[in-house]
Amino acid sequence: MSVSVYSTTSCPYCVMVKDYLKQKNVSFSDYDVGRDQNKASEMVRISGQMGVPVLSINGTIIVGFNKQAIDKALAS
């Protein structure tokens, strides 16, 4: 399973997403788009969004902290 989280250090929803994934014992790559311009550009390219968090779960793109969408993507 491939899980990536595009986040910033000042975003409370980013912290919530990462805590939720940790609670579910899901390992993920965390990219700080506030510091990494290449990852920020990648995030916008895959999601069409400037806001964080953006998750990529096995190619499924989820914008924001949406438990239902996260659980669905993790289950597939």
Side-chain angles (χ1 to χ4, degrees):
M1 175 171 297
S2 170
V3 180
S4 300
V5 178
Y6 298 85
S7 63
T8 63
T9 54
S10 61
C11 161
Y13 291 103
C14 299
V15 173
M16 291 165 62
V17 160
K18 291 183 270 190
D19 286 346
Y20 186 68
L21 292 172
K22 288 174 191 168
Q23 287 171 12
K24 297 180 88 52
N25 292 316
V26 174
S27 60
F28 58 91
S29 300
D30 182 23
Y31 302 113
D32 182 351
V33 297
R35 293 187 182 165
D36 187 333
Q37 189 56 50
N38 290 332
K39 287 296 177 185
S41 297
E42 180 179 295
M43 177 191 79
V44 172
R45 183 176 48 77
I46 65 171
S47 70
Q49 300 290 317
M50 294 287 292
V52 288
V54 171
L55 292 86
S56 174
I57 301 175
N58 291 333
T60 299
I61 305 304
I62 300 165
V63 178
F65 181 36
N66 182 334
K67 282 186 189 179
Q68 209 172 15
I70 293 168
D71 290 344
K72 184 179 176 186
L74 289 172
S76 61

